[in-house]
Amino acid sequence: MDEDIMRMPDQYSTEVGENGISLSGGQQQRVAIARAMIIDPYILILDDALSAVDAETEKNILSAVRKDSSEKILIISASRISSVVDADEILVFSKGKIVERGSHRQLLENNGYYAKTFHQQELASQLENSKEGD
């Protein structure tokens, strides 16, 4: 977020929001995560907090959050499986009930909903990357 802030008219003193400049959805998410990290919570819950950022930004944010949260509890609710592949335990919900549970590797081996969704998202990502390369 620092690079974005440094490009703003008054850098860290720039007013944002209703009377200031508008932030994109991804910028808003990054600011919210930064605010949460600053207070150094023992438990950090990210509720689809990376849905508006690109894959590379997601990877960088998760790496930083994990590094800073090594002795803490991190709970991530996500639609994109890439957000949770490194989790110790993944819970897959359907209609409010846990339908699958395990590590990324275990869930892929089970070949259930998680595995099917993972492969669909991987294919979509590959197709998107190939379009960008054209």
Side-chain angles (χ1 to χ4, degrees):
M1 193 62 210
D2 183 64
E3 290 177 20
D4 289 349
I5 292 170
M6 297 311 286
R7 287 191 296 262
M8 292 179 183
D10 296 318
Q11 298 175 335
Y12 278 90
S13 297
T14 301
E15 186 175 342
V16 296
E18 205 172 303
N19 296 321
I21 66 166
S22 296
L23 298 178
S24 70
Q27 288 172 323
Q28 290 174 14
Q29 287 182 327
R30 287 181 284 162
V31 167
I33 292 168
R35 286 178 173 164
M37 298 301 292
I38 287 170
I39 62 172
D40 195 28
Y42 178 68
I43 299 173
L44 179 62
I45 301 172
L46 301 177
D47 184 11
D48 222 7
L50 302 168
S51 61
V53 299
D54 62 81
E56 187 64 27
T57 302
E58 174 190 50
K59 182 180 169 185
N60 292 337
I61 290 170
L62 288 173
S63 175
V65 168
R66 285 188 187 105
K67 179 180 167 191
D68 191 58
S69 302
S70 62
E71 300 296 321
K72 300 173 184 175
I73 296 170
L74 176 60
I75 299 171
I76 301 174
S77 166
S79 299
R80 284 196 313 215
I81 290 179
S82 57
S83 296
V84 298
V85 294
D86 294 324
D88 295 329
E89 183 170 25
I90 299 167
L91 305 176
V92 181
F93 287 83
S94 177
K95 299 179 183 173
K97 297 187 189 287
I98 298 172
V99 295
E100 293 181 272
R101 176 184 213 147
S103 68
H104 175 70
R105 182 186 51 77
Q106 291 167 331
L107 292 170
L108 289 179
E109 289 172 0
N110 290 346
N111 206 28
Y113 177 79
Y114 179 92
K116 289 176 182 140
T117 303
F118 173 76
H119 294 304
Q120 288 172 345
Q121 289 181 5
E122 283 293 298
L123 180 59
S125 177
Q126 290 171 3
L127 289 172
E128 187 174 310
N129 289 339
S130 69
K131 285 181 185 177
E132 290 173 4
D134 290 343

